[in-house]
Amino acid sequence: MLRAALLLLAVLVAVLLSVALGPPWMSLSALVDGAHSAGSADASVVVWQLRVPRAAVAVVAGGGLGVVGLLMQDTFRNPLAGPDLLGAGPGAALMMALTVVTGLGGAFVVGPLLTFAGALGGSLLVLLLSSRQRDPVRFAVVGAAVSAGLTAPTIAVISVGAPMATDVLFRYVLGMLAGRTWTMAVPVFIGVGVLAVCSWSTLRPARR
């Protein structure tokens, strides 16, 4: 309980700092004024339309990614299981590179669906090649080999892309919180909400 309380406190401090700091820089009085409903309109926009959505997306998306990693380890009964060793990360990166270079990266539906298909395909390939063995070491070796095999064509696709497409791709890969608004945050909240429902349905009673 103490560890959980300390982690929660650390998250709250990080959220407060993310709301208080960053361009445009504001004094403490201006920040408090912006947080107040009757405060300055400019300060209110900075706080409620720029910084609070940014902090909310960071917390919700980061927490969702942590839950996904935990579910992978629990599902495969393997502490080494993760997006990279499972082939999901490299598979998604390959399809993401293809969608960006071919111009499909801006499509709201097509791009994410193809990226999801790449992650699913990479994962299935790793599971197929390591299905006969439950050895965690073999699982890690197979996952590393598949990841390397998927990374090579990803680099090749990036090398033939235009400089602008490459810049967009790196933003997709690394992620970015700058300029996040409530409109952009809604899909993240929906996705994590679906994840929460699915995760809750897979809970097993603790053994005593």
Side-chain angles (χ1 to χ4, degrees):
M1 289 295 295
L2 178 60
R3 182 179 299 180
L6 291 176
L7 288 175
L8 180 59
L9 179 61
V11 171
L12 292 176
V13 171
V15 169
L16 290 176
L17 288 176
S18 67
V19 174
L21 303 176
W25 299 100
M26 301 170 58
S27 63
L28 180 60
S29 60
L31 182 67
V32 174
D33 183 56
H36 196 273
S37 59
S40 169
D42 294 338
S44 180
V45 168
V46 170
V47 172
W48 293 109
Q49 300 301 323
L50 297 178
R51 295 186 179 180
V52 173
R54 176 186 65 188
V57 169
V59 172
V60 174
L65 291 174
V67 171
V68 168
L70 181 62
L71 288 176
M72 285 184 175
Q73 295 178 356
D74 181 69
T75 300
F76 297 104
R77 301 292 193 274
N78 192 332
L80 299 176
D84 290 333
L85 286 183
L86 194 59
L94 175 58
M95 294 306 298
M96 187 185 305
L98 288 172
T99 56
V100 171
V101 170
T102 57
L104 295 176
F108 183 77
V109 177
V110 177
L113 286 179
L114 291 177
T115 304
F116 175 77
L120 182 61
S123 300
L124 292 177
L125 182 59
V126 173
L127 294 177
L128 179 64
L129 295 176
S130 60
S131 59
R132 296 181 181 179
Q133 299 288 337
R134 295 293 182 179
D135 184 16
V137 176
R138 177 182 173 84
F139 180 87
V141 171
V142 171
V146 171
S147 297
L150 293 173
T151 301
T154 302
I155 296 175
V157 171
I158 294 174
S159 65
V160 301
M164 184 176 296
T166 304
D167 181 64
V168 173
L169 175 63
F170 279 112
R171 289 188 180 186
Y172 280 164
V173 173
L174 298 177
M176 185 175 64
L177 293 174
R180 302 301 94 176
T181 62
W182 289 116
T183 302
M184 299 176 181
V186 168
V188 177
F189 297 159
I190 294 176
V192 174
V194 173
L195 171 65
V197 173
C198 295
S199 302
W200 185 266
S201 64
T202 61
L203 291 177
R204 295 187 299 271
R207 295 180 180 180
R208 296 184 178 181

